[in-house]
Amino acid sequence: MSFSSRLRVILRSKSNRALTQLEDPREALDDSYEQQVKMLQQVRLGLAEVATAKKRIELQGQEMGGRYQRLADQAQEALNQGREDLARTALERRSLLEGQVAAIRNQYLALAQQQAQLQDNERRLAERIAAFRTEKETIKATYAASEARVKANEAAAGIGSQMGTVGTDLDRAKDRVAQMQARAAATDELLSSGALSDVTAAPDADLERQLSDGATRADVDRQLQAMKSARAADQGHGARARGGTDAWLSIGQAPTTP
């Protein structure tokens, strides 16, 4: 397999893994859950703001209620003292205060209604998010179990994205072994023929090897001639005893004259 082919296989494998991660439903479920949690936080923040505004108007109404009662007491005290003009002024202020109290009372009731609606929405949204979280975790666990099962089955069957890379690596290793074996055989032939010199050999080693080969051939020719002469002598004088317990000592030594 060429380098470009191996590169395409690697890139295709990585792109498939990237697409698988992008399509992972667990990430989509987690993102959806986070968005719902953010919505719930916004609802709770709005609820807190409405409750704060309602409480502020309530305190203002309580203060105005206290003033309203004081004006009534002041009008009565002025009347008891014969100061009808002061009693009239207190009553006029009290009447004006009634209109202001009515205005903030309407605001207070509107905020109270908004608070009740937000509280109801917050409760229902929280319940829905809790149910979604339970279902989300169930789906994620089921997906994880199925994914593990698929990987185990693919590994057992010898398929899958990882097995494709394993096969490619195995083919590359076989190619390298075949190339190395061919190279070793070629260098053996070159060394034997003398076409490739051994840089680690001693100087003039090629001459020594050729001289050694010539001496070996000469020795073989001498032994062959001696065997022929011995056979002719045996045929002329009859067979003579050979061997003996010490015959092995003469192996490799120059033959005796027949």
Side-chain angles (χ1 to χ4, degrees):
M1 180 181 291
S2 63
F3 175 76
S4 59
S5 299
R6 292 196 298 269
L7 182 60
R8 284 196 297 271
V9 171
I10 295 173
L11 292 177
R12 184 162 55 249
S13 177
K14 290 185 177 180
S15 63
N16 290 337
R17 287 197 296 269
L19 289 175
T20 301
Q21 292 176 355
L22 290 176
E23 296 174 356
D24 194 337
R26 293 172 295 185
E27 296 183 0
L29 290 172
D30 289 337
D31 292 340
S32 179
Y33 177 75
E34 291 179 1
Q35 294 297 326
Q36 294 185 48
V37 171
K38 290 180 180 178
M39 291 174 57
L40 180 60
Q41 292 175 349
Q42 292 176 356
V43 170
R44 288 175 174 173
L45 180 61
L47 178 60
E49 292 177 352
V50 170
T52 300
K54 174 174 168 286
K55 188 63 176 179
R56 185 166 56 247
I57 292 178
E58 180 181 359
L59 294 176
Q60 186 178 358
Q62 291 175 357
E63 182 180 356
M64 295 175 70
R67 183 187 175 194
Y68 184 80
Q69 184 60 41
R70 286 195 303 274
L71 288 172
D73 294 341
Q74 289 175 353
Q76 183 63 45
E77 181 64 24
L79 188 60
N80 293 337
Q81 294 181 7
R83 298 291 306 273
E84 184 175 345
D85 55 335
L86 292 178
R88 183 180 297 276
T89 299
L91 292 175
E92 289 176 352
R93 292 180 181 179
R94 190 169 184 263
S95 178
L96 181 62
L97 189 60
E98 287 179 359
Q100 296 175 355
V101 170
I104 66 171
R105 181 172 59 246
N106 292 334
Q107 295 180 7
Y108 178 81
L109 294 176
L111 290 174
Q113 184 178 3
Q114 292 181 15
Q115 181 178 358
Q117 291 177 351
L118 287 174
Q119 287 176 341
D120 185 60
N121 292 338
E122 187 273 340
R123 177 184 56 79
R124 289 186 297 176
L125 182 59
E127 292 176 353
R128 188 178 67 182
I129 292 176
F132 179 83
R133 182 179 183 277
T134 301
E135 186 176 3
K136 172 179 72 73
E137 294 301 325
T138 301
I139 294 175
K140 288 175 61 178
T142 303
Y143 183 87
S146 300
E147 184 181 32
R149 183 179 177 184
V150 168
K151 290 182 178 180
N153 292 339
E154 288 181 349
I159 60 176
S161 60
Q162 298 296 332
M163 297 308 297
T165 305
V166 170
T168 302
D169 294 339
L170 183 60
D171 291 338
R172 290 176 58 191
K174 289 180 179 179
D175 291 341
R176 294 291 296 174
V177 170
Q179 293 176 3
M180 193 59 65
Q181 288 177 341
R183 184 175 179 181
T187 52
D188 286 343
E189 293 179 0
L190 292 174
L191 285 173
S192 299
S193 64
L196 184 65
S197 59
D198 186 3
V199 295
T200 62
D204 303 325
D206 55 337
L207 295 177
E208 293 292 339
R209 184 176 66 253
Q210 295 180 21
L211 291 174
S212 176
D213 293 340
T216 300
R217 286 194 298 269
D219 184 65
V220 170
D221 292 339
R222 180 182 57 77
Q223 294 184 33
L224 181 60
Q225 185 61 40
M227 290 175 64
K228 290 180 180 180
S229 299
R231 184 178 63 179
D234 290 340
Q235 291 177 354
H237 301 88
R240 58 181 176 180
R242 300 175 182 175
T245 57
D246 296 333
W248 62 273
L249 295 174
S250 62
I251 294 177
Q253 303 297 324
T256 59
T257 302

